[in-house]
Amino acid sequence: MTQTAPPDAAPPGATRRALLCPGCGGQCMFDPAERGLTCQSCGRVQDLAHEDDDDAHIEYGYDPTQPEEEPATRPAELEHHCATCDGRVIFTGPQLSENCPYCAGAVVLSQPVNGYDTMALIPFSTQEKTAQINAQAWAKSRLAAPGDLSKSVAPARVAGLYAPFWTFDSKEAVSYWAKYTTGSGDNKRTHSVSGAMNIHFDDLLVPASPHVTPLIRDGILHEFNPDKLRRYRAGYLAGFAAERHHMTISEGLRSNRKDKDLLIRNRIKGDINRSRVHSIRYRTDTSGIHYRRILLPVWLMHYTYRDKPYKIVVSGINGRTYGERPFSSWKLAGYSALLSAAVIGFGLVWGAAGWR
């Protein structure tokens, strides 16, 4: 489903009203277990599903030859500025944090910066307790990790964040030129090859912020399913942090160039269907660009081991866990010695048996 114009921004005050319980007027927070907005006073749960959720799949057309007309807006929520990583996050609802979810640095209230409205999101499905358990289990299961690593991870807490992403569609008419090598030594030959192919990229997921590191991206990338997208509502963000979209569409496309270049080169290698392909050059005519501005849920855990910071990422969609960790030099040396002994032992057995 495609559309040319993004939806209108929510009217001022709509966010605050959306987070109040219709029964008692109490403050509400989104509960991943209930999959709804839960009142902190009376416990009433509001289902945020709506008949227009199918609109979350709408993709908006973009013509790079025309001026960008998407209007920038100023958020109604409180925006916080991190003095450590320069990130700007919004805390929606009653549960404010004193630390940046990206880097755990201190944050202070700041003047909101103009951004762009979110079109859709995937709500949190993984609860905070589950994320905490998964992060600690991940740390305990790491091979060659220091024996006391779990003691550093145990007291750390996770922070829930909706991180900004793009989805991009495009059609690529590719003409390419490349070389491949056959044989070796005196029989080594280099061959030239050329060809043309059409590629359709559908829902390429692209980080929409420099603070969405490769670790955060990888922690959510494999779990993305556009069928899970829901139309943006402030209630989904209640109790969580979120970063707004600040990139223009053209900036988002530029940030995707490196990844798209790699994908095109891999498709070319597949089209040539030869080993040892190199010296690839190509030209592409891009058309049919469509985009979405979306938010995706992640839990971030920051911990310190011997004064060095590390991060663990838990997907807010299904709990899959990735992370950074230290290594034990003693364990690495032990594993290396065992591997060397195994190789030597195999060689001795091979030689004694006279196998050829």
Side-chain angles (χ1 to χ4, degrees):
M1 194 184 318
T2 61
Q3 189 166 308
T4 55
D8 294 332
T15 297
R16 290 186 291 274
R17 292 194 298 271
L19 302 184
L20 297 180
C21 175
C24 71
Q27 187 72 54
C28 297
M29 294 175 61
F30 181 75
D31 186 344
E34 297 287 350
R35 298 180 182 271
L37 199 59
T38 303
C39 178
Q40 302 302 289
S41 299
C42 69
R44 177 173 178 169
V45 178
Q46 300 177 61
D47 186 359
L48 294 176
H50 195 272
E51 59 185 10
D52 70 352
D53 275 335
D54 286 341
D55 292 347
H57 299 96
I58 291 175
E59 297 171 303
Y60 301 90
Y62 173 68
D63 184 349
T65 66
Q66 299 297 319
E68 296 188 29
E69 297 180 351
E70 190 178 14
T73 59
R74 186 178 291 274
E77 301 94 336
L78 297 175
E79 189 168 84
H80 289 67
H81 177 242
C82 177
T84 303
C85 72
D86 201 39
R88 287 182 175 271
V89 293
I90 293 170
F91 294 97
T92 304
Q95 188 174 350
L96 299 183
S97 170
E98 296 179 355
N99 298 97
C100 171
Y102 281 119
C103 72
V107 293
V108 295
L109 280 174
S110 62
Q111 189 70 17
V113 176
N114 288 354
Y116 298 93
D117 291 323
T118 302
M119 298 163 178
L121 56 77
I122 294 182
F124 271 91
S125 294
T126 305
Q127 300 179 69
E128 179 179 358
K129 183 178 179 180
T130 301
Q132 189 82 25
I133 293 172
N134 288 5
Q136 293 178 7
W138 181 89
K140 290 179 180 178
S141 65
R142 297 305 93 190
L143 289 174
D148 59 347
L149 178 61
S150 60
K151 292 182 179 179
S152 297
V153 174
R157 303 301 301 174
V158 292
L161 169 74
Y162 281 97
F165 283 82
W166 299 93
T167 67
F168 283 118
D169 295 355
S170 67
K171 296 177 181 179
E172 310 289 334
V174 179
S175 300
Y176 65 82
W177 303 264
K179 297 178 181 181
Y180 65 92
T181 303
T182 59
S184 60
D186 293 338
N187 295 321
K188 186 176 181 180
R189 299 288 184 272
T190 298
H191 310 267
S192 297
V193 62
S194 62
M197 59 192 303
N198 293 313
I199 303 174
H200 178 208
F201 289 120
D202 184 34
D203 285 331
L204 282 183
L205 196 62
V206 181
S209 165
H211 301 103
V212 179
T213 62
L215 180 65
I216 298 174
R217 181 193 63 186
D218 293 343
I220 199 76
L221 182 64
H222 302 292
E223 320 309 328
F224 175 68
N225 180 349
D227 290 338
K228 294 183 178 180
L229 285 170
R230 297 293 178 264
R231 196 64 185 262
Y232 173 82
R233 289 183 181 80
Y236 287 119
L237 273 59
F240 295 94
E243 184 180 7
R244 302 187 75 219
H245 283 257
H246 294 287
M247 287 183 177
T248 64
I249 305 168
S250 56
E251 288 172 336
L253 289 169
R254 283 197 296 272
S255 72
N256 186 39
R257 281 179 182 171
K258 185 176 180 180
D259 286 343
K260 193 166 79 168
D261 173 70
L262 177 61
L263 291 171
I264 291 175
R265 290 178 180 276
N266 286 338
R267 297 284 185 93
I268 291 173
K269 290 179 180 179
D271 193 58
I272 296 173
N273 197 26
R274 296 275 188 170
S275 59
R276 300 160 72 184
V277 175
H278 58 93
S279 303
I280 295 174
R281 295 180 296 114
Y282 70 86
R283 181 177 65 243
T284 183
D285 181 16
T286 302
S287 62
I289 299 174
H290 291 83
Y291 72 97
R292 301 187 194 96
R293 296 182 183 274
I294 65 173
L295 296 176
L296 297 179
V298 292
W299 291 101
L300 303 178
M301 171 186 277
H302 299 272
Y303 71 96
T304 302
Y305 184 81
R306 295 187 178 178
D307 298 325
K308 185 176 180 179
Y310 296 92
K311 184 186 300 178
I312 299 175
V313 178
V314 181
S315 168
I317 298 174
N318 69 356
R320 189 170 181 176
T321 306
Y322 299 79
E324 301 166 339
R325 40 71 68 90
F327 288 87
S328 167
S329 57
W330 291 102
K331 288 184 179 180
L332 286 176
Y335 291 144
S336 178
L338 285 173
L339 180 60
S340 298
V343 172
I344 292 172
F346 181 78
L348 292 174
V349 171
W350 183 283
W355 294 333
R356 298 181 183 277

